[in-house]
């Protein structure tokens, strides 16, 4: 029998999706499953985006330019400028989701066995993207005790070798909800300039910040133009996960010319999704004001309810809509599977994402889960109640 590739064998399973078969079994039993495992917002997609697709008068569904619609990139540039980011149309390539943008970034900057330093826990698919690109992830561990703040910059310095090509961050963070301060961004900017590295920032949750905190983009750091690569997406901003539209952004002309070759190889991003994404930029600020207020209320309820459970520890997120929760158990993967396979509370259970999959260091985060607060408030309260009852009877 022909053999599967080593790369394929090394591809990690998604900690977010790998328990789906157990959730399906639970539902077949008639149990209601509260999905705390995936960042799929229940917020309605802006009507202006959906109407643009409904009203599109297309007789031939053609390829678009490999960089995406010219009109969309122009409009996106204007959107960024309103955010005080000096980004021009030529600095943008539209991609099939933020995932493809990250693959383009890794492919454009790294060769096989090159290294990227990432503060962990991090978005689980970074592990998969690294394997697919032949790149080695070098983790620098942040902890729940500090709220997952940026580790001391000296820890990064210790890990830099001749194979190091970039530092990758997610800001605000998935899965932690941590929001990097201006000082932390400056520290990262200084170290990548010192060692001639790229700084890749996944900024797809830019709008979602709370408690008066402000997002600090790497694209706003003077003198970092040749080092900075930003990843963005419409998925969470406009609750358009299924559109699969993102972009890679950089002032570095060589990076963008290289990324364009990857873009040409996959031909073009999807047309209808670009139509929706371009129209979504006309969404009024009131939409974001309401959404951010809603998420803050959900965060506060979730954290408050979790803190009532003995032995549970949670870091308060400053952005995005995720948090890492430390549970009084030894193996969150077993617990998450048990919740779906065996347990129910009055015919209901919860699905969480085991946090070990958000680390690349072995045997770290085994007692942690990621929770996405993308459900309505009453469902979050029910979910935490189920979690509390489950922990009280669970046998490690």
């Amino acid at each position: 029998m022909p053999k599967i590739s080593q790369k394929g064998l090394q591809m990690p399973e998604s900690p977010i999706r790998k328990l789906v078969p157990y959730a399906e079994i639970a539902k077949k039993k008639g149990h209601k499953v509260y999905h705390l495992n995936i960042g799929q917002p229940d917020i309605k997609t802006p009507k202006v985006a959906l109407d643009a697709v409904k009203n599109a008068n297309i007789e031939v569904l053609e390829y678009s330019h490999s960089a995406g619609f010219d009109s969309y990139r122009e409009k996106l540039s204007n959107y960024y400028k309103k955010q005080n980011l000096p980004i021009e149309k030529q600095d943008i390539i539209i991609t099939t989701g933020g995932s493809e943008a990250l693959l383009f970034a890794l492919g454009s900057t790294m060769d096989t066995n090159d290294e990227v330093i990432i503060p962990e826990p991090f978005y689980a698919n970074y592990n998969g993207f690294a394997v697919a690109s032949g790149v080695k992830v070098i983790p620098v561990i942040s902890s729940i005790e500090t709220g997952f703040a940026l580790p001391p910059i000296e820890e990064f310095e210790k890990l830099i070798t001749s194979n190091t090509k970039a530092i990758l961050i997610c800001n605000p963070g998935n899965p932690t909800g941590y929001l990097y301060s201006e000082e932390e961004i400056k520290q990262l900017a200084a170290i990548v300039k010192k060692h001639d590295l790229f700084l890749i920032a996944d900024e797809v949750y830019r709008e979602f910040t709370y408690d008066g905190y402000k997002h600090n983009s790497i694209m706003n750091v003077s003198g970092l133009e040749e080092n900075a690569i930003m990843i963005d997406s419409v998925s969470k901003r406009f609750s358009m996960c299924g559109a699969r539209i993102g972009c890679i952004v950089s002032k570095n002309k060589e990076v963008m010319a290289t990324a364009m070759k990857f873009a040409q190889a996959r031909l073009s991003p999807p047309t209808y999704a670009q139509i929706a994404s371009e129209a979504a930029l006309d969404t009024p600020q009131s939409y974001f004001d309401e959404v951010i207020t809603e998420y803050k209320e959900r965060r506060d309820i979730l954290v408050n309810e979790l803190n009532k459970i003995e032995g549970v520890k949670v870091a308060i997120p400053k952005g995005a809509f995720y948090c890492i929760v430390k549970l009084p158990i030894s193996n969150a993967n077993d617990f998450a599977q048990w919740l779906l396979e065996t347990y129910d509370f009055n015919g209901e259970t919860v699905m969480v994402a085991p946090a070990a999959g958000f680390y690349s260091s072995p045997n770290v985060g085994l007692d942690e889960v990621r929770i996405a607060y993308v459900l309505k408030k009453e469902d979050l309260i029910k979910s935490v109640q189920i979690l509390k009852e489950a922990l009280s009877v669970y046998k490690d």
Side-chain angles (χ1 to χ4, degrees):
M1 177 179 170
K3 291 185 177 180
I4 299 299
S5 69
Q6 283 302 307
K7 182 183 290 186
L9 293 172
Q10 290 168 12
M11 278 293 288
E13 287 185 301
S14 167
I16 305 164
R17 296 174 180 266
K18 70 178 182 180
L19 295 173
V20 166
Y22 298 101
E24 291 171 344
I25 291 170
K27 290 172 184 176
K28 285 178 182 176
K29 291 179 183 176
H31 297 164
K32 179 178 176 63
V33 178
Y34 291 97
H35 285 271
L36 303 175
N37 62 302
I38 192 165
Q40 170 58 64
D42 64 351
I43 305 295
K44 286 187 177 180
T45 302
K47 186 174 182 294
V48 66
L50 299 177
D51 285 347
V53 174
K54 291 175 186 176
N55 299 329
N57 183 20
I58 295 177
E59 294 184 355
V60 178
L61 196 56
E62 300 176 336
Y63 292 121
S64 76
H65 191 288
S66 291
F69 292 169
D70 190 77
S71 57
Y72 179 31
R73 291 189 297 136
E74 184 70 50
K75 201 169 180 180
L76 197 51
S77 167
N78 291 332
Y79 156 78
Y80 287 131
K81 287 173 182 174
K82 288 176 184 175
Q83 305 274 325
N84 295 316
L85 304 181
I87 296 170
E88 304 297 334
K89 178 178 67 177
Q90 63 268 24
D91 303 330
I92 303 168
I93 293 175
I94 306 303
T95 57
T96 308
S99 300
E100 187 178 70
L102 190 54
L103 284 168
F104 285 2
L106 295 178
S108 299
T109 61
M110 298 183 205
D111 292 310
T112 302
N113 295 324
D114 280 344
E115 298 172 352
V116 56
I117 298 173
I118 314 179
E120 63 177 2
F122 50 70
Y123 177 45
N125 281 338
Y126 293 167
N127 277 323
F129 297 148
V131 170
S133 302
V135 171
K136 186 176 180 182
V137 170
I138 305 297
V140 53
I141 299 177
S142 60
S143 70
I144 198 167
E145 283 70 32
T146 64
F148 299 105
L150 186 76
I153 212 70
E154 296 79 25
E155 295 303 310
F156 287 85
E157 198 106 40
K158 291 176 188 175
L159 299 172
I160 294 172
T161 71
S162 58
N163 290 329
T164 307
K165 287 294 182 68
I167 294 173
L168 168 60
I169 62 170
C170 186
N171 183 33
N174 172 8
T176 63
Y178 187 76
L179 183 70
Y180 289 99
S181 68
E182 183 177 7
E183 179 57 31
E184 287 171 324
I185 295 295
K186 285 181 178 178
Q187 288 178 344
L188 288 168
I191 196 170
V192 297
K193 287 182 71 176
K194 176 182 176 182
H195 294 278
D196 202 23
L197 307 176
F198 290 103
L199 179 57
I200 305 171
D202 183 344
E203 299 187 359
V204 305
Y205 300 97
R206 179 187 301 104
E207 276 77 11
F208 304 106
T209 63
Y210 314 115
D211 306 325
Y213 289 102
K214 185 184 79 167
H215 179 259
N216 296 284
S217 173
I218 64 167
M219 300 303 294
N220 234 353
V221 181
S222 179
L224 199 64
E225 291 81 6
E226 297 304 307
N227 307 76
I229 302 173
M230 184 180 82
I231 308 299
D232 207 354
S233 169
V234 305
S235 291
K236 311 305 163 80
R237 179 172 302 128
F238 300 114
S239 194
M240 288 171 58
C241 295
R244 310 311 307 133
I245 290 292
C247 62
I248 178 173
V249 180
S250 182
K251 291 283 186 183
N252 185 313
K253 290 181 172 54
E254 193 173 356
V255 165
M256 295 307 285
T258 307
M260 177 58 77
K261 290 188 283 188
F262 285 91
Q264 290 168 347
R266 65 80 166 104
L267 305 182
S268 66
T271 294
Y272 274 112
Q274 287 186 84
I275 290 171
S277 300
E278 182 174 339
L281 290 169
D282 292 326
T283 303
Q285 181 59 39
S286 58
Y287 172 89
F288 297 106
D289 294 340
E290 291 173 13
V291 169
I292 291 166
T293 297
E294 176 67 19
Y295 277 134
K296 183 184 181 302
E297 290 174 358
R298 292 179 182 187
R299 180 205 65 173
D300 292 346
I301 285 173
L302 176 67
V303 170
N304 185 55
E305 294 299 311
L306 286 170
N307 280 330
K308 293 178 183 178
I309 305 176
E310 186 177 355
V312 166
K313 188 169 188 176
V314 57
I316 299 176
K318 297 177 183 177
F321 37 70
Y322 307 99
C323 61
I324 289 287
V325 185
K326 185 183 282 289
L327 301 176
I329 57 175
S330 61
N331 191 305
N333 191 73
D334 291 346
F335 176 65
Q337 184 174 325
W338 173 83
L339 283 170
L340 298 169
E341 194 174 28
T342 305
Y343 181 79
D344 75 277
F345 180 68
N346 297 330
E348 299 181 328
T349 191
V350 296
M351 186 175 182
V352 294
F358 295 90
Y359 293 82
S360 65
S361 297
N363 302 317
V364 178
L366 295 178
D367 59 349
E368 298 172 354
V369 297
R370 185 194 75 167
I371 290 179
Y373 45 95
V374 293
L375 304 180
K376 56 186 178 181
K377 293 185 277 286
E378 50 267 40
D379 285 350
L380 286 174
I381 292 171
K382 282 184 184 178
S383 298
V384 178
Q385 177 64 25
I386 293 167
L387 198 60
K388 179 180 179 181
E389 297 294 335
L391 287 167
S392 71
V393 299
Y394 180 67
K395 307 296 183 187
D396 245 336

